[in-house]
Amino acid sequence: DTENGLQDYEGHKILQHISDPIIFFGSIARSELKKCEDYNVGRAITEATDAELRAHFSTYIGNGLVVAVLGFGKIGSAAAQCAAQKTRRVIVVEIDRLRLSLAAAQSFEIMNLDQALECADVVISCTG
């Protein structure tokens, strides 16, 4: 179950229309498995972007391109980390102050959206 699905269950929005009893065992939304999945999705987004650049534009992230990652949640942070392994300049755009602090603590360049779009060669959106 996703986080939104879990919140629906917890709020009983879904259950109000079901007449048979349901046994709820739990959700992957907050499990260790979900953390691995989010990390792998973030990396896969960056790798797929790199593959598209190679296939269609004869370039790649490691060719000195500036990458902006929009969103620094579980998936966005993994995408930014993967991009940072390929190029030296990764910009993070995030509206949540705690996530912004985490990005800065990991030495990512922080910008607002307009600044990032002006500087970036590649934009990876990982917003919820």
Side-chain angles (χ1 to χ4, degrees), residues 6-8 15 18 26 42-43 54 71 83 97 104 109 113 119-120:
L6 179 60
Q7 290 173 8
D8 285 344
L15 300 179
I18 299 174
R43 291 190 61 81
R54 288 176 190 270
R97 288 180 183 254
E109 194 172 343
L113 180 59
C119 295

Side-chain angles (χ1 to χ4, degrees), residues 45-128:
I45 290 168
T46 303
E47 294 294 346
T49 301
D50 206 24
E52 289 296 311
L53 289 168
R54 288 176 190 270
H56 299 287
F57 300 101
S58 300
T59 192
Y60 55 99
I61 292 173
N63 197 25
L65 298 181
V66 177
V67 176
V69 177
L70 311 184
F72 199 74
K74 293 177 276 187
I75 294 172
S77 62
Q81 290 165 7
C82 183
Q85 292 172 356
K86 297 175 176 294
T87 190
R88 61 185 179 87
R89 191 167 179 206
V90 178
I91 300 165
V92 170
V93 176
E94 174 59 65
I95 59 172
D96 181 272
R97 288 180 183 254
L98 177 59
R99 291 179 182 167
L100 201 60
S101 295
L102 290 171
Q106 293 179 34
S107 300
F108 290 108
E109 194 172 343
I110 306 300
M111 290 186 183
N112 67 38
L113 180 59
D114 291 335
Q115 293 169 324
L117 293 177
E118 193 171 307
C119 295
D121 299 306
V122 177
V123 177
I124 300 174
S125 179
C126 299
T127 60

